[in-house]
Structure formats: C-alpha cells, structure tokens
Amino acid sequence: MADIVLKIAGLKVAYGGIKAVKGVDLEVAKGELVTLIGANGAGKTTTLKAITGTLPPCKVEGAIEYLGQPLRGTQSFRMVRQKLAMVPEGRGVFTRMSIHENLLMGAYTRDDKAAIDADIEKWYTVFPRLKERVAQLAGTLSGGEQQMLAIGRALMSRPRLLLLDEPSMGL
C-alpha cells in the first residue's frame, strides 16, 4: 500500500447559499501527480484553498489529512514547516523584493545554507530567465517570469506536497 500524503473525504464548501464544492474525495500518494480538472467555477481553486486554510469566511465540511494528521485549522506557516507548499493563482510573489530575495523566502524554514545556495542555482538552471534578472524586483517581471519565480520559490522549501493553482498561467 502506498504512503498517503493527502487525503480528503467529503469536502464541501459553501459561501452562504452558494455551494462551491459539493463533496470531494481525493487521495494523493507519495510520488503521485494528481490533477483537478474542471470548468471555470467548478471549485478547483476553492478546493486548494480549503486544503491550505486560505479561504475567506465560509462553511467548510469534511476531513482533510496531510501525512495522516488533520490539516484543517493549521496555520499556513506551520504547513510550510511540515513541507506543504502552494503556488496560488496569480502567483503572489513579493513584488518589492528581488528574484533572489523571493527564492530565499521560499527557504525561510531551512537552515542548511550550502544546500539552499545549491537549490537556488538549481532553480536558476531550470528557469534561466530568472538568473539573467537575479537582482530585478519581482513586481517588474512579466506574468510568465513571475510564475517561474513563484514555482521556484515554492520548491525552495523542498515540499513533500506541492499544490499548484493554474501553474501554466502567464507562461
């Protein structure tokens, strides 16, 4: 039996009388890639935000477990320490910080400086455009460049689970 990293059972989310998510059951095993597919308004973003606890006030029902532990009510900074990272729709880069500073923010829970430096170089290799603009403020990048930076920043935490909302947006 595979190690289950994320388990969602009976997830329902309602904003007042609007039912945004109507009963999602989902398991993600270690090493597995899972994709939520659906039309605009189908509840994909709401499901991801329910996992990370970043929804505006609304009614959430169901169970969400990460590595066998309940996740609901966990503060987002604790999720990062538990190696869960999310790249939100719209990227969410730190616009007044440089590319390099953004990548360092992705590693703020780590204390292995040599490995952090190696990971930064790794992501510069994967996203060479970021290396070309290392000192540039993130807010001045194109949408696609910001998306690359947001993905690289999330990967700097070395997550066990990486959630991507609209990962190809702007690329």
Side-chain angles (χ1 to χ4, degrees):
M1 184 168 128
D3 295 326
I4 301 301
V5 177
L6 178 69
K7 182 176 182 176
I8 300 172
L11 180 65
K12 297 178 184 176
V13 180
Y15 300 99
I18 300 170
K19 294 178 182 175
V21 177
K22 302 173 187 171
V24 170
D25 295 307
L26 171 68
E27 287 186 355
V28 179
K30 182 178 180 181
E32 189 173 32
L33 176 67
V34 175
T35 304
L36 294 177
I37 299 173
N40 289 342
K44 302 177 300 292
T45 295
T46 298
T47 298
L48 293 177
K49 286 183 174 185
I51 294 167
T52 59
T54 54
L55 288 169
C58 62
K59 183 178 180 183
V60 179
E61 297 177 12
I64 302 171
E65 292 181 0
Y66 173 66
L67 301 173
Q69 299 297 313
L71 194 58
R72 287 188 44 205
T74 303
Q75 296 164 314
S76 57
F77 73 91
R78 293 195 193 281
M79 290 182 197
V80 175
R81 289 184 198 273
Q82 295 171 349
K83 302 293 185 189
L84 189 158
M86 180 169 168
V87 177
E89 181 179 17
R91 301 168 291 278
V93 297
F94 299 107
T95 59
R96 294 182 182 200
M97 296 174 87
S98 71
I99 289 170
H100 188 76
E101 291 167 331
N102 266 268
L103 291 175
L104 286 173
M105 288 300 292
Y108 84 90
T109 61
R110 297 172 53 189
D111 59 7
D112 51 341
K113 183 170 177 4
I116 289 169
D117 291 343
D119 283 353
I120 287 173
E121 286 307 313
K122 175 183 178 180
W123 299 123
Y124 284 155
T125 301
V126 172
F127 302 116
R129 189 70 165 162
L130 298 181
K131 174 98 179 180
E132 294 171 10
R133 298 169 176 224
V134 66
Q136 188 170 332
L137 294 181
T140 64
L141 299 172
S142 72
E145 292 163 343
Q146 287 185 19
Q147 189 70 3
M148 290 178 223
L149 179 57
I151 292 169
R153 184 187 62 207
L155 290 168
M156 286 297 297
S157 69
R158 292 189 173 174
R160 287 186 190 116
L161 179 64
L162 176 63
L163 304 173
L164 300 156
D165 193 4
E166 300 283 351
S168 62
M169 183 179 285
L171 296 179

